[in-house]
Amino acid sequence: MTKTMIKGVLKTWKEDRGFGFISPDDGGKDIFIHISALKGTSRRPVTGDVIYYQVARDNRGKYKAVNAYIEGVEILEEKAAGFLNTRKGIVLIVLALVAIAAVVVALNLAP
């Protein structure tokens, strides 16, 4: 995988399939990008977006974009870190605290 970020323009995007191709600014071959390479972006990519990415080989030896982001588009929190900020995460935490409190009360009331 390349360590440096490469800049290119999203040449094509198939929204229904979640992938497209980036035309690198250096004039090299177009590179495949899958939606999974754009983790945490606040919106889906559109043709013409400026994309920064790294290059890696897939399991078939083909090059693809990884660790990508769209220029000027906000990056949201990672799902694992953002879980506590979701309604489901808060509900689970509250339920866990209630269960712990119930156990503590029950132990204190036991003869």
Side-chain angles (χ1 to χ4, degrees):
M1 177 172 65
T2 61
K3 301 249 183 210
T4 58
M5 298 302 281
I6 300 168
K7 181 180 176 186
V9 175
L10 189 61
K11 184 175 177 180
T12 60
W13 183 255
K14 296 189 180 290
E15 179 61 32
D16 59 326
R17 310 246 344 247
F19 74 86
F21 289 89
I22 301 169
S23 177
D25 279 4
D26 69 5
K29 287 186 174 184
D30 290 352
I31 187 151
F32 176 82
I33 183 168
H34 187 265
I35 190 65
S36 63
L38 293 162
K39 292 179 184 145
T41 58
S42 60
R43 71 163 172 83
R44 305 279 287 195
V46 294
T47 302
D49 278 341
V50 173
I51 308 283
Y52 289 87
Y53 61 96
Q54 294 174 312
V55 176
R57 283 192 174 177
D58 65 16
N59 56 5
R60 296 176 297 176
K62 294 185 177 186
Y63 291 104
K64 65 179 181 176
V66 296
N67 301 326
Y69 67 91
I70 304 167
E71 183 177 72
V73 174
E74 181 182 7
I75 303 295
L76 303 175
E77 295 178 40
E78 291 292 324
K79 287 185 179 179
F83 179 73
L84 297 178
N85 295 329
T86 65
R87 182 172 289 182
K88 184 177 181 180
I90 292 169
V91 168
L92 289 175
I93 290 169
V94 169
L95 288 174
L97 291 173
V98 169
I100 292 168
V103 168
V104 169
V105 168
L107 289 174
N108 286 333
L109 293 177

